Structures are given as C-alpha cells and as structure tokens.
Amino acid sequence: MILKTKILFTCLILTVLAMGCHTMNRKNNQQEAAGKNKERPVDLIILAGQSNMVGSGQKKEINYKGISKHITYYNFGKTSRLTPASDSSFGPELGICDELSANFPDREFIILKYAIGGSSLYDWGVDYDPEKVAEMGSPKFGKLYDSLVEYTHQITSSKRVRPIAMVWMQGETDARFPVAGKDYYTSFRKLIDKIRKDTDQQDLPVIYGRINPVTERYPGAELVRKAQEKTEKDVAYTYMVPTEGLDKKQDELHYSSEGLIELGHRFGKVLADLIKKKD
C-alpha cells in the first residue's frame, strides 16, 4: 500500500512539473513573438497624386464600416482650391485597406496620403520649374514634393517605420497639354529616383494607375500613357495598374464611389503580393 502511494505521488509530481514546463515554454514563446513584433518597424505606404487619389467618393454611398485598428491613416489630401478633403469623402485608400486587412489582419501599417486635385507632374517636379508650372501647373500649390517630404517627416519622426511602397494616381492634368505629355516620362522617372533616395529604399515599389480620360478632350493623354508604359518597362520595381472598366462620374474623368473602391482593390492586390514576396 505504501509503495502504491509513493508511485501515485511520484506520478503526480511529474505531471505537475510537465505542466509547468509546458506553461513556461508557451509563455516564453509568446514573449518571444511579442518581442519580434516590437522590433519590427511599422510599414509605411505613401499615397500621392491628384484628384483621383484625393477622391470624391462618398462614404454614405457605400457600406462603410471603417478601417482596421491595425492601420493608421493620415489624410493630407486637398482639393484644387487647397481646401482639406472632407472626412465624408474617400479615394482609393479604402480598397487598399480592405486588401491589407484581408491579407495581413494583425500587421501594423501607416498609410499617408498627400494628393492635390488638379496638380500636374510639374507641380510635383524634382526640378521645379516656375515657368512650366505657371503655364501648365498651378503656382499656388507650391513645391508639392517638398510638402510630401515634410508631412512624411512630421508623422514618422517619432516612430520606427519602414517605407514599403508609393501608390501614385496622377497624370490627367498633364494629359491636357501635349508638351507636358512629352515631358512626363523624364519627370516621373526623376520623381521615382528622388523618393527612393530620400527614403533610402532603392527598390521601393512604385504602383501607379494608368490614366484613361477621354482622348478627344485630352490631347496629351496618349503621350502620358506611353510614358507610363515605358516607365514600367524601363524602371525596376514599378507596376502599372489598369483602370479600364472602372465606373466614373458624369464628367468621364473622376471615378465614382464604386470606381474608387475597385481602384483601391486593384492597387491593394498588387501591394499585398509584393509584401508577401518580400516577407
């Protein structure tokens, strides 16, 4: 009887010790995972461009449920009159957020948007030319690239971030002027080189939408599209997203709420695939 009691007592001790080791290992694994998450910089995605990036979609027209708590969104977008974009409106960011949340539900992202309605690539020019801006851009906008850098520094200076992509929707204003269309490739390439240098990410992906305004009203449209195609062909880590079939408003230029959601999903799918490949 005494021997049987000793055996049972020994088994009990071994069971308790085993449970303790399991709990400790699980706790260590959780702490290790938490430590890795703390060490990981937050992924930064920059959205820039003109009115179709600012967006005139209306949240009341869609089943808007907000964005994931893991995505911090900063909107510095402005209309062509330089008034801040309304909180009730949206651009492609909602579709992008949907794709990020679906593919990376627990991952932290910062999305910064700085886009100005009606801005030309001259307004964003790295080699800012006041004469060209006065002729085909908007002098009142100022040097938009410098403002983008300023806003980016403003929200990231106290955070550990890693720029992982720029998403660009712009070119319709340049499509109004054939001379701007001819300059588009060179100007766009300089902009890409500059943001890669300033973010210290030489392979920073640049994802951009193919413009598709009514050619009859935009004589430089085909030139801009050819420049966009050439960019994807010549410049590494650039990805042109098709915009055919997206629903538009009556002006046949700006995307509707439905069109902007779909545009965001198209951007987001490319972005999510790139993140998975890099991980």
Side-chain angles (χ1 to χ4, degrees), residues 263-278:
L263 176 61
H265 278 287
R266 293 183 187 185
F267 282 144
K269 283 181 170 63
V270 175
L271 180 57
D273 285 344
L274 290 170
I275 294 172
K276 289 176 183 177
K277 288 177 183 177
K278 197 155 190 177

Side-chain angles (χ1 to χ4, degrees), residues 215-239:
T215 306
E216 292 75 18
R217 293 179 2 221
Y218 290 79
E222 193 57 35
L223 291 168
V224 173
R225 282 193 284 263
K226 286 182 178 178
Q228 292 180 320
E229 292 165 4
K230 183 174 172 58
T231 299
E232 186 179 41
K233 181 181 177 181
D234 293 355
V235 184
Y237 310 109
T238 59
Y239 308 87

Side-chain angles (χ1 to χ4, degrees), residues 42-48 53 67-68 70-77 91-101 107-114 148 151-152 155-156 159 161-162 164-167 264 267-268 271 275:
V42 180
D43 293 330
L44 170 67
I45 301 161
I46 298 169
L47 312 183
M53 180 57 82
I67 61 175
S68 165
H70 296 291
I71 299 175
T72 305
Y73 173 55
Y74 296 91
N75 184 6
F76 297 105
E93 66 276 358
L94 294 190
I96 293 173
C97 288
D98 284 346
E99 291 294 334
L100 292 175
S101 298
R107 190 159 175 169
E108 298 291 327
F109 293 96
I110 292 176
I111 295 180
L112 179 154
K113 181 166 80 171
Y114 179 59
L148 173 63
Y151 281 125
T152 303
I155 68 161
T156 62
K159 301 178 179 69
V161 302
R162 178 184 65 166
I164 62 168
M166 179 173 82
V167 182
F267 282 144
L271 180 57
I275 294 172

Side-chain angles (χ1 to χ4, degrees), residues 129-150:
D129 187 330
E131 291 184 8
K132 287 184 177 179
V133 169
E135 187 176 352
M136 284 159 285
S138 296
K140 65 181 179 181
F141 294 161
K143 299 179 179 181
L144 296 186
Y145 181 80
D146 290 352
S147 297
L148 173 63
V149 171
E150 183 179 333

Side-chain angles (χ1 to χ4, degrees), residues 5-279:
T5 302
K6 286 183 177 180
I7 291 172
L8 288 173
F9 184 69
T10 302
C11 289
L12 179 61
I13 291 175
L14 290 174
T15 301
V16 171
L17 288 173
M19 290 176 64
C21 289
H22 176 72
T23 302
M24 186 174 294
N25 286 336
R26 186 173 62 182
K27 187 175 181 180
N28 288 338
N29 289 338
Q30 289 174 341
Q31 289 176 339
E32 184 179 348
K36 286 182 179 178
N37 287 336
K38 283 185 178 180
E39 292 171 7
R40 179 199 291 272
V42 180
D43 293 330
L44 170 67
I45 301 161
I46 298 169
L47 312 183
Q50 60 175 109
S51 55
N52 274 322
M53 180 57 82
V54 176
S56 54
Q58 298 299 309
K59 291 176 182 176
K60 64 183 180 181
E61 296 178 353
I62 63 170
N63 185 24
Y64 178 66
K65 297 179 181 178
I67 61 175
S68 165
K69 64 180 181 180
H70 296 291
I71 299 175
T72 305
Y73 173 55
Y74 296 91
N75 184 6
F76 297 105
K78 297 179 182 179
T79 69
S80 59
R81 296 181 180 179
L82 295 181
T83 56
S86 169
D87 288 338
S88 62
S89 64
F90 67 89
E93 66 276 358
L94 294 190
I96 293 173
C97 288
D98 284 346
E99 291 294 334
L100 292 175
S101 298
N103 287 278
F104 314 99
D106 300 316
R107 190 159 175 169
E108 298 291 327
F109 293 96
I110 292 176
I111 295 180
L112 179 154
K113 181 166 80 171
Y114 179 59
I116 305 295
S119 58
S120 73
L121 197 48
Y122 292 133
D123 296 308
W124 290 91
V126 175
D127 300 325
Y128 189 84
D129 187 330
E131 291 184 8
K132 287 184 177 179
V133 169
E135 187 176 352
M136 284 159 285
S138 296
K140 65 181 179 181
F141 294 161
K143 299 179 179 181
L144 296 186
Y145 181 80
D146 290 352
S147 297
L148 173 63
V149 171
E150 183 179 333
Y151 281 125
T152 303
H153 178 72
Q154 179 180 317
I155 68 161
T156 62
S157 59
S158 61
K159 301 178 179 69
R160 188 162 175 255
V161 302
R162 178 184 65 166
I164 62 168
M166 179 173 82
V167 182
W168 177 258
M169 188 67 234
Q170 192 278 336
E172 292 89 349
T173 294
D174 303 80
R176 293 170 53 204
F177 307 98
V179 65
K182 291 177 182 177
D183 287 345
Y184 199 90
Y185 171 77
T186 301
S187 299
F188 193 29
R189 185 157 190 170
K190 286 181 179 180
L191 179 67
I192 293 170
D193 289 344
K194 180 64 172 170
I195 197 163
R196 285 176 173 172
K197 180 180 179 181
D198 289 346
T199 58
D200 195 27
Q201 301 285 331
Q202 291 306 309
D203 59 350
L204 182 76
V206 176
I207 306 165
Y208 57 95
R210 183 177 187 269
I211 67 160
N212 66 354
V214 180
T215 306
E216 292 75 18
R217 293 179 2 221
Y218 290 79
E222 193 57 35
L223 291 168
V224 173
R225 282 193 284 263
K226 286 182 178 178
Q228 292 180 320
E229 292 165 4
K230 183 174 172 58
T231 299
E232 186 179 41
K233 181 181 177 181
D234 293 355
V235 184
Y237 310 109
T238 59
Y239 308 87
M240 184 171 68
V241 172
T243 53
E244 285 72 24
L246 296 178
D247 189 57
K248 290 183 177 181
K249 296 190 171 186
Q250 289 184 348
D251 63 7
E252 298 183 75
L253 177 66
H254 296 100
Y255 298 114
S256 66
S257 297
E258 178 186 341
L260 286 166
I261 291 291
E262 175 58 26
L263 176 61
H265 278 287
R266 293 183 187 185
F267 282 144
K269 283 181 170 63
V270 175
L271 180 57
D273 285 344
L274 290 170
I275 294 172
K276 289 176 183 177
K277 288 177 183 177
K278 197 155 190 177
D279 285 350

